């Protein structure tokens, strides 16, 4: 599953876990009503129940009985069982989004290295309506441009001029980078002129519990719009891969 984000970004599911032992047991498939992957039926939430039942040495009993237990665990914040499911994602995003994302220390990361590989020629260009809208409405987000120390209102023509200048700067920096590589400047130094609007690519892995924590913080309107778009894409993957937990996470309002 791959979700496109912004102009060149994406979030792609690499793998998910949480099947528990039941898949391996004879007849276990009868219990499973999870996702269809080719001919395989895979349920990534059984492992949550199995982990919870470890305390009584019990096992998964089927969702007709265990949906109630999942709800109980979630609502009473017995959250460690949700660490027994999880997923690995590949993400392509601007470097400034990664700067925010990497603050989530409980995820494991591996990012492409500009020391060893030439970076892709991909730069983030905000769109005009988005640029205008954010400047003028979002008063809750202190990180955004609704900063009263800078009362200037962005007008359409200035926004267009700025976007054109950004494009020009990107083109210039890309030429500088390519010329440096062609001249034999080592990749690890040629990259020093790369702006934070440049796209990079990483793989990130964590448990379902931590993915929900990430979504709570980064789907919130207080988070910067760009990382919010990525969080929404992660949410789509969570919804498909862990549908029962997703419903509990959303509560009544999204059911
Ligand atoms: C809107 C917004 C604005 C932000 N602005 C800034 C900013 O200006 N500057 C900045 O530096 N960061 C900023 N951040 C990042 C923020 O401070 C957190 O680092 C980030 O959201 C990750 O949250 P976390 O610590 O819960 O996640 P993780 O690092 O994934 O940790 C998950 C949980 O593990 C536990 N944990 C992890 N590490 C420790 C530890 N060392 N000690 C104790 N418990 C731990 C905590 O319970 C934590 O909630 C911002 C985040 C948001 C959402």
């Amino acid at each position: 599953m791959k979700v496109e984000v912004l102009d060149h970004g994406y979030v792609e599911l690499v793998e998910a876990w949480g099947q528990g032992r039941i898949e391996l047991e004879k007849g276990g498939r009868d219990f499973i009503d999870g996702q269809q992957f080719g001919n395989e039926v895979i349920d990534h939430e059984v492992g949550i129940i199995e982990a919870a039942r470890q305390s009584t040495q019990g096992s998964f009993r089927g969702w007709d009985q265990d949906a109630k237990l999942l709800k109980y665990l979630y609502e009473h914040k017995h959250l460690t069982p949700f660490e027994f499911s999880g997923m690995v994602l590949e993400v392509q995003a601007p470097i400034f989004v990664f700067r925010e994302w990497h603050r989530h220390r409980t995820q494991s990361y591996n990012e492409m290295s500009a020391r060893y590989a030439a970076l892709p020629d991909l730069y983030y260009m905000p769109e005009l309506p988005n640029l205008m809208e954010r400047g003028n409405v979002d008063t809750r987000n202190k990180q955004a441009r609704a900063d009263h120390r800078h009362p200037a209102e962005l007008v359409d023509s200035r926004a267009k001029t700025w976007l054109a200048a950004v494009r020009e700067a990107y083109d210039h920096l890309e030429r500088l980078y390519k010329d440096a590589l062609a001249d034999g400047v080592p990749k690890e130094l040629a990259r020093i002129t790369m702006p934070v609007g440049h796209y990079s690519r990483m793989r990130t892995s964590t448990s379902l519990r931590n993915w929900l924590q990430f979504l709570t913080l980064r789907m919130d309107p207080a988070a910067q719009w760009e990382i919010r778009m990525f969080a929404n894409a992660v949410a789509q993957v969570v919804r498909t891969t862990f549908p029962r937990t997703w419903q509990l996470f959303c509560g009544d309002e999204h059911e």
Side-chain angles (χ1 to χ4, degrees):
M1 178 180 187
K2 186 171 181 177
V3 186
E4 308 285 333
V5 189
L6 306 182
D7 46 359
H8 305 295
Y10 62 81
V11 167
E12 183 174 21
L13 177 65
V14 176
E15 62 170 315
W17 65 89
Q19 291 167 254
R21 186 185 276 149
I22 196 79
E23 262 299 272
L24 303 174
E25 288 174 2
K26 197 170 178 306
R29 297 271 160 101
D30 296 345
F31 287 124
I32 311 285
D33 60 350
Q35 301 163 79
Q36 191 88 30
F37 283 99
N39 294 325
E40 286 284 299
V41 177
I42 300 178
D43 188 318
H44 298 106
E45 293 172 291
V46 169
I48 302 168
I49 301 296
E50 281 191 6
R53 288 245 165 77
Q54 192 71 31
S55 53
T56 54
Q57 296 291 286
S59 193
F60 181 64
R61 295 175 190 162
W63 286 117
D64 49 341
Q65 290 184 53
D66 283 336
K68 223 160 59 184
L69 175 58
L70 191 78
K71 188 167 191 278
Y72 179 87
L73 293 170
Y74 189 83
E75 288 179 353
H76 290 80
K77 300 203 186 312
H78 294 313
L79 296 176
T80 51
F82 293 86
E83 294 167 17
F84 289 81
S85 286
M87 60 181 186
V88 180
L89 300 176
E90 183 173 276
V91 183
Q92 181 161 289
I95 290 167
F96 74 89
V97 171
F98 280 179
R99 286 283 301 271
E100 297 179 334
W101 198 314
H102 291 163
R103 299 292 286 116
H104 296 266
R105 300 154 292 170
T106 48
Q107 296 185 32
S108 303
Y109 303 102
N110 264 307
E111 188 176 353
M112 68 177 294
S113 169
R115 286 188 72 188
Y116 307 120
L119 290 168
D121 178 6
L122 296 172
Y123 294 83
Y124 173 53
M125 281 301 296
E127 287 181 8
L128 184 68
N130 182 255
L131 191 66
M132 301 302 295
E133 202 178 295
R134 268 189 291 174
N136 298 325
V137 270
D138 194 349
T139 51
R140 216 195 113 193
N141 189 346
K142 296 265 191 303
Q143 274 90 27
R145 291 181 42 240
D147 180 342
H148 300 303
R149 288 167 302 175
H150 299 285
E153 186 151 318
L154 184 63
V155 295
D156 199 75
S157 61
R158 288 301 305 152
K160 282 183 181 147
T161 305
W162 181 75
L163 285 173
V166 170
R167 180 75 272 164
E168 210 175 300
Y170 280 162
D171 289 346
H172 172 68
L173 292 170
E174 182 63 25
R175 265 198 314 278
L176 189 63
Y177 179 62
K178 292 236 168 83
D179 288 350
L181 292 180
D183 288 342
V185 174
K187 290 188 197 75
E188 64 186 21
L189 287 177
R191 66 177 168 171
I192 65 174
T193 52
M194 280 298 161
V196 293
H198 200 286
Y199 274 85
S200 183
R201 200 176 299 141
M202 70 169 177
R203 203 170 260 234
T204 170
S205 168
T206 199
S207 69
L208 178 55
R209 179 184 185 173
N210 276 332
W211 280 120
L212 298 183
Q213 162 80 353
F214 174 81
L215 294 182
T216 300
L217 292 169
R218 298 303 183 177
M219 287 172 75
D220 190 276
Q224 179 163 345
W225 185 83
E226 281 79 5
I227 197 166
R228 232 185 311 147
M229 296 303 104
F230 282 91
N232 290 344
V234 172
Q236 284 188 49
V237 182
V238 169
R239 189 179 62 205
T240 310
T241 313
F242 311 101
R244 294 177 184 81
T245 307
W246 169 257
Q247 239 184 7
L248 294 168
F249 175 70
C250 290
D252 294 338
E253 65 187 287
H254 297 287
E255 274 180 39

